[in-house]
Amino acid sequence: MNKEKVLIFDTTLRDGEQSAGASMSIEDKVEIASQLNQMKVDIIEAGFPFASKGDYQSVKKVSEISDYSIVCGLARAHYKDIDVAGEALADAKRKRIHTFISTSDLHMKYKLKMSKKEVIEYIKKSIKRALKYTDDVEWSPEDASRTDLNFLYKSIEIAILSGARTINIPDTVGYSIPGEFATLISNVKNNVTNIDKAVISVHCHNDLGLAVSNSLSAIIAGARQVECTINGIGERAGNAALEEIVMCLKTRSDKLPFFTDIETKKITMISHLVSSITGFMVQPNKAIVGKNAFAHESGIHQDGMLKNANTYEIITPESIGLSSSELVLGKHSGRHAFKVKLNDLGYDLEDKNINKLFEDFKDLADKKKQVFEEDLIALVESENKHPSNMFIDLIDMSLKCGKGKNSEAVLKLNVFGEKKEIKKHGNGPIDAIFNALKELIPNKASLIVYQVNAITKGTDAQAEVNVRLEEDLITVQGQGSDVDTMVASAKAYINALNKLIMKRKKAEDSKTMLQTSNKKLNKHVI
């Protein structure tokens, strides 16, 4: 049986970031993009360049580092959007501009306030403008699943005639069901006369929990590109999950004669990375990447697993980058074994980084009875989140707390190169720690989210803490991990404060540059 390739278009950095509270820094996006490249994602939608200075810089930086994936920038059907996208993508080895306009009667009447004739003109002009920057142009009819079919066919035909090489059919509000969406793709194939000159793509939202099912139905019906995100994050209920689509195609090749080039052994690592950066914890029973995906509690299941793993596992842990062994390393393990294990988990690190991580690993191994793969992943991610140029660093911390007592926190910090110590009280240990940090590093930030997650099992498990701070419309995410939950909490808050200070410094420059850019580009509006 001849298998056809399905292109994987990852929009974690664009649509995934539209998840409420999932804002990513430029550095975060570059880190994720680097891993998406190594995973061999075909196209990375790196952002919406005109939306903000941060998005522009993100697309620009991802363009500079992407050596495998095509880098894509989103743009509305306006010259100014397209021009900014073209500028942001200038350094990309391979680039794509993805432009869109609504085509449903509902959107045209209430959102665009435009006629069908006007929309057609915008399609022509926007695609031709995009072709000034790249011959790889993707076009989307927003709200396609609720668009009049005859107008949809006409719009797609015009888009292809204008030069679009990829036509994306989005289920913008997650309204379709699988059979219906498959029929829509078949109708497009059978009624658009020049559809053979373009790749059909699909972009499904998960409002009814059907994003992956709709995507797979569309592939069967003729789509050869799927737009998806790591862990299924995205606006509202999210997008189709990359890991679920890829592993469905790989596992059920008997019924789905398609393939992708995705390096599936990197799935676990990048899932952890995105979860850690966004602060969106993966639910335990999440398909493919959830903690319970390979856990077996039922006695009947356990008995079957001991006799033959295939009795209750349709994919192997190794296929997504997990080891079949639970205990991976101990305090007597050597540096070479440590490095090999990190390579097995998908990390290719320089020796200088390995040395620092190995020291941290030895410290952790002294505190824990067992060191698990998740612990090693947390070590690497913690090091990535706490670079050497931090403004604030935790030196030491002690606490006094108990039932009916007012908690006391004593913190020793390195603040802008100066060692400082402070003692502060609170209603509990976390309150005391955060009060101390707020006094030592003055800020008006509100604590929006505080989450604690046990990385592994057992009373000696590392705690992973996520906090989200908001100050004057600036939102930052902070993470910290440690076997001591209180220390992890302090690290997370400090990590967020470091990001806040960095964003404060950039805020004024961004305002000035954006004002200048808008003045220059206003004359380009269609």
Side-chain angles (χ1 to χ4, degrees):
M1 182 186 295
N2 291 325
K3 294 184 180 181
E4 293 185 55
K5 180 177 175 178
V6 173
L7 298 167
I8 298 298
F9 178 112
D10 183 275
T11 185
T12 302
L13 304 183
R14 201 278 299 171
D15 205 339
E17 193 190 24
Q18 290 178 209
S19 301
S23 180
M24 307 174 203
S25 69
I26 295 170
E27 294 77 17
D28 291 336
K29 289 188 175 184
V30 170
E31 186 179 358
I32 292 171
S34 177
Q35 295 303 327
L36 291 172
N37 261 275
Q38 292 182 41
M39 189 191 248
K40 295 190 175 179
V41 162
D42 297 288
I43 305 102
I44 298 173
E45 190 167 50
F48 188 170
F50 189 79
S52 71
K53 181 66 167 55
D55 253 30
Y56 176 91
Q57 288 297 333
S58 295
V59 175
K60 185 172 176 58
K61 293 290 184 183
V62 171
S63 295
E64 292 169 359
I65 64 101
S66 184
D67 56 2
Y68 178 86
S69 308
I70 295 169
V71 183
C72 179
L74 184 70
R76 294 170 300 178
H78 298 299
Y79 283 172
K80 58 183 180 180
D81 278 45
I82 294 163
D83 290 342
V84 172
E87 291 169 16
L89 292 163
D91 295 327
K93 186 177 177 181
R94 294 190 296 160
K95 67 190 82 169
R96 174 182 294 187
I97 290 178
H98 178 191
T99 185
F100 69 95
I101 193 168
S102 296
T103 53
S104 69
D105 290 338
L106 185 68
H107 278 223
M108 287 189 290
K109 181 178 180 179
Y110 293 103
K111 177 183 170 183
L112 299 180
K113 294 180 170 49
M114 291 168 60
S115 67
K116 289 181 177 179
K117 184 178 179 181
E118 288 173 313
V119 167
I120 291 295
E121 287 305 307
Y122 266 67
I123 294 170
K124 293 176 184 177
K125 290 180 180 180
S126 59
I127 292 172
K128 287 179 180 177
R129 188 72 168 198
L131 288 169
K132 287 179 59 179
Y133 300 97
T134 175
D135 61 357
D136 188 351
V137 176
E138 176 172 334
W139 179 76
S140 292
E142 187 179 4
D143 206 25
S145 56
R146 295 192 296 178
T147 294
D148 172 75
L149 284 177
N150 288 326
F151 184 62
L152 181 64
Y153 304 152
K154 181 179 179 181
S155 300
I156 293 171
E157 186 174 314
I158 292 294
I160 297 171
L161 282 171
S162 300
R165 286 170 40 181
T166 301
I167 299 296
N168 177 50
I169 309 297
D171 184 23
T172 304
V173 292
Y175 182 70
S176 284
I177 59 176
E180 176 186 37
F181 198 59
T183 299
L184 175 60
I185 302 303
S186 295
N187 285 339
V188 167
K189 280 194 69 178
N190 295 330
N191 291 280
V192 176
T193 57
N194 56 357
I195 195 64
D196 59 308
K197 293 179 173 60
V199 173
I200 299 176
S201 176
V202 287
H203 179 114
C204 298
H205 278 269
N206 206 38
D207 297 70
L208 295 176
L210 296 170
V212 170
S213 295
N214 282 336
S215 298
L216 292 173
S217 296
I219 291 170
I220 294 169
R224 291 297 176 266
Q225 178 179 290
V226 178
E227 308 197 358
C228 43
T229 61
I230 302 297
N231 298 336
I233 65 171
E235 197 162 15
R236 302 184 313 278
N239 289 45
L242 179 150
E243 62 279 0
E244 294 179 25
I245 290 171
V246 168
M247 293 310 294
C248 274
L249 295 178
K250 184 172 182 176
T251 306
R252 293 309 311 271
S253 59
D254 57 326
K255 297 293 184 181
L256 300 167
F258 311 101
F259 72 95
T260 73
D261 288 337
I262 295 295
E263 295 280 358
T264 62
K265 289 185 178 180
K266 294 192 176 290
I267 284 176
T268 295
M269 185 211 26
I270 200 165
S271 170
H272 278 278
L273 177 65
V274 170
S275 175
S276 179
I277 284 174
T278 60
F280 284 18
M281 295 297 104
V282 176
Q283 67 192 63
N285 62 327
K286 165 78 170 65
I288 313 300
V289 292
K291 279 188 176 182
N292 293 349
F294 298 98
H296 304 274
E297 186 170 327
S298 161
I300 295 173
H301 286 210
Q302 289 173 343
D303 179 65
M305 284 293 298
L306 290 170
K307 292 172 180 174
N308 187 321
N310 291 332
T311 54
Y312 288 103
E313 283 186 355
I314 59 172
I315 63 175
T316 66
E318 292 88 348
S319 67
I320 62 164
L322 282 172
S323 171
S324 57
S325 60
E326 196 171 61
L327 177 62
V328 293
L329 292 171
K331 64 181 180 180
H332 299 298
S333 299
R335 184 181 177 282
H336 178 70
F338 177 73
K339 183 177 180 179
V340 169
K341 190 61 202 179
L342 288 179
N343 287 338
D344 288 344
L345 290 171
Y347 295 105
D348 184 16
L349 304 172
E350 296 179 7
D351 284 344
K352 62 180 180 180
N353 295 327
I354 293 286
N355 292 337
K356 176 64 172 68
L357 286 169
F358 187 60
E359 290 177 17
D360 294 341
F361 160 70
K362 284 290 189 179
D363 290 340
L364 180 62
D366 281 334
K367 297 173 185 175
K368 290 196 65 175
K369 295 176 183 177
Q370 296 180 327
V371 179
F372 298 90
E373 290 180 343
E374 291 87 348
D375 291 313
L376 299 184
I377 292 169
L379 281 179
V380 177
E381 291 174 358
S382 179
E383 183 64 23
N384 287 338
K385 297 184 201 93
H386 297 82
S388 57
N389 62 346
M390 289 189 301
F391 305 109
I392 313 159
D393 195 14
L394 180 66
I395 299 172
D396 195 15
M397 186 180 82
S398 61
L399 290 168
K400 289 182 182 178
C401 59
K403 186 177 180 181
K405 296 179 182 178
N406 199 16
S407 297
E408 177 187 276
V410 180
L411 272 65
K412 293 180 182 178
L413 301 173
N414 188 322
V415 183
F416 293 97
E418 182 182 348
K419 290 183 180 179
K420 293 188 176 183
E421 183 174 333
I422 190 168
K423 181 190 293 183
K424 203 71 180 173
H425 293 88
N427 294 326
I430 300 296
D431 190 42
I433 292 167
F434 289 4
N435 286 342
L437 288 168
K438 196 155 191 173
E439 182 162 317
L440 204 56
I441 303 99
N443 63 85
K444 297 182 294 180
S446 300
L447 179 65
I448 307 300
V449 173
Y450 172 78
Q451 285 181 328
V452 181
N453 181 51
I455 293 174
T456 56
K457 61 186 180 182
T459 56
D460 62 351
Q462 279 198 94
E464 184 175 71
V465 176
N466 286 272
V467 301
R468 188 177 302 138
L469 303 181
E470 189 174 281
E471 179 189 80
D472 297 332
L473 300 180
I474 297 175
T475 301
V476 290
Q477 188 80 26
Q479 302 89 17
S481 58
D482 197 274
V483 291
D484 187 320
T485 305
M486 300 301 107
V487 173
S489 300
K491 286 181 177 179
Y493 201 101
I494 289 168
N495 181 231
L497 287 174
N498 278 312
K499 291 179 179 179
L500 181 62
I501 293 167
M502 193 177 297
K503 285 196 173 185
R504 278 178 183 168
K505 288 177 177 290
K506 293 179 179 178
E508 286 305 315
D509 291 339
S510 295
K511 285 180 184 177
T512 304
M513 291 182 72
L514 191 57
Q515 287 169 357
T516 304
S517 176
N518 283 341
K519 286 178 182 178
K520 289 168 63 179
L521 292 167
N522 277 340
K523 61 183 178 182
H524 295 308
V525 182
I526 290 178

